[in-house]
């Protein structure tokens, strides 16, 4: 046993060297069947090629890690932290394959498709964000353009900055609330607080406090 040991240019089996216990082990151009090396510190300066590598402790890599068809399994969690300039994680997918997929057991929970579309609880997002299920928003929802949906249920207050339009199946405006508060039905140019282009059927009383013109 010695303080430092250097293994370089090995191309044979490590059967006669099954166990090392040193303070520091340096490996250079190492292409062995690495069965067991026990050391406080192992330094790889060029190449380490082995069928199985088990690390009990910290693993520090200064440079790139190239993995081919690799499955990484963890027993608790996989944590990424960065105290440098960042970002903490870059994921680069070349070609037209999916960028990332996240599973809950065997069920797809989240997917990032080629092009950037994100799907939650669906594998085929058709928009930048596609959610198959309910969405609960605890704070404000800001929409710069328009909302298109088959059913909209609001529990609480709804504040709209601007005009609101309701269209029929043929994409024709049926009702619109202008930004100034005027409401129009079957027309997009209200001249009064309520403008209706068509007949009005009133099933109960109609009360008018002033004049009828």
């Amino acid at each position: 046993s010695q303080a430092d040991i250097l293994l370089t240019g090995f191309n044979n089996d490590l059967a006669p060297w099954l166990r090392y216990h040193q303070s520091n082990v340096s490996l250079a151009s190492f292409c062995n069947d690495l069965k067991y090396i026990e050391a406080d510190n192992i330094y790889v300066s060029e190449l380490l090629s082995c069928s199985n590598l088990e690390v009990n402790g910290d693993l520090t890599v200064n440079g790139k890690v190239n993995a081919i068809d690799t499955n990484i399994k963890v027993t608790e969690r996989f944590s990424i932290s960065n105290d440098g300039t960042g970002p903490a994680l870059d994921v680069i997918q070349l070609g037209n394959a999916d960028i990332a997929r996240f599973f809950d057991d065997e069920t797809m929970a989240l997917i990032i498709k080629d092009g950037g579309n994100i799907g939650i609880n669906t594998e085929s997002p058709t928009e930048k964000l596609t959610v198959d299920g309910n969405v609960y928003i605890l704070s404000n929802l800001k929409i710069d353009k328009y909302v298109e949906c088959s059913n909209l249920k609001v529990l609480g207050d709804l504040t709209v900055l601007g005009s609101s339009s309701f269209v029929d199946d043929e994409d024709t405006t049926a009702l619109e609330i202008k930004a100034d508060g005027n409401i129009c039905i079957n027309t997009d140019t209200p001249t009064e607080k309520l403008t209706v282009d068509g007949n009005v059927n009133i099933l109960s009383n109609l009360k008018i406090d002033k004049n009828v013109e």
Side-chain angles (χ1 to χ4, degrees), residues 83-99:
D83 60 359
T85 57
L89 177 65
D90 273 333
V91 178
I92 301 174
Q93 170 62 45
L94 302 178
N96 56 5
D98 296 338
I99 298 174

Side-chain angles (χ1 to χ4, degrees), residues 94-107:
L94 302 178
N96 56 5
D98 296 338
I99 298 174
R101 293 183 292 175
F102 299 86
F103 289 85
D104 180 11
D105 294 328
E106 300 295 328
T107 303

Side-chain angles (χ1 to χ4, degrees), residues 60-117:
T60 301
V61 178
N62 294 320
K64 294 182 179 180
V65 177
N66 297 320
I68 301 175
D69 193 19
T70 301
N71 184 17
I72 300 176
K73 294 182 179 180
V74 296
T75 57
E76 293 184 4
R77 66 178 181 133
F78 185 72
S79 177
I80 299 175
S81 61
N82 175 44
D83 60 359
T85 57
L89 177 65
D90 273 333
V91 178
I92 301 174
Q93 170 62 45
L94 302 178
N96 56 5
D98 296 338
I99 298 174
R101 293 183 292 175
F102 299 86
F103 289 85
D104 180 11
D105 294 328
E106 300 295 328
T107 303
M108 178 80 69
L110 185 146
I111 187 171
I112 305 176
K113 302 289 289 185
D114 178 53
N117 283 3

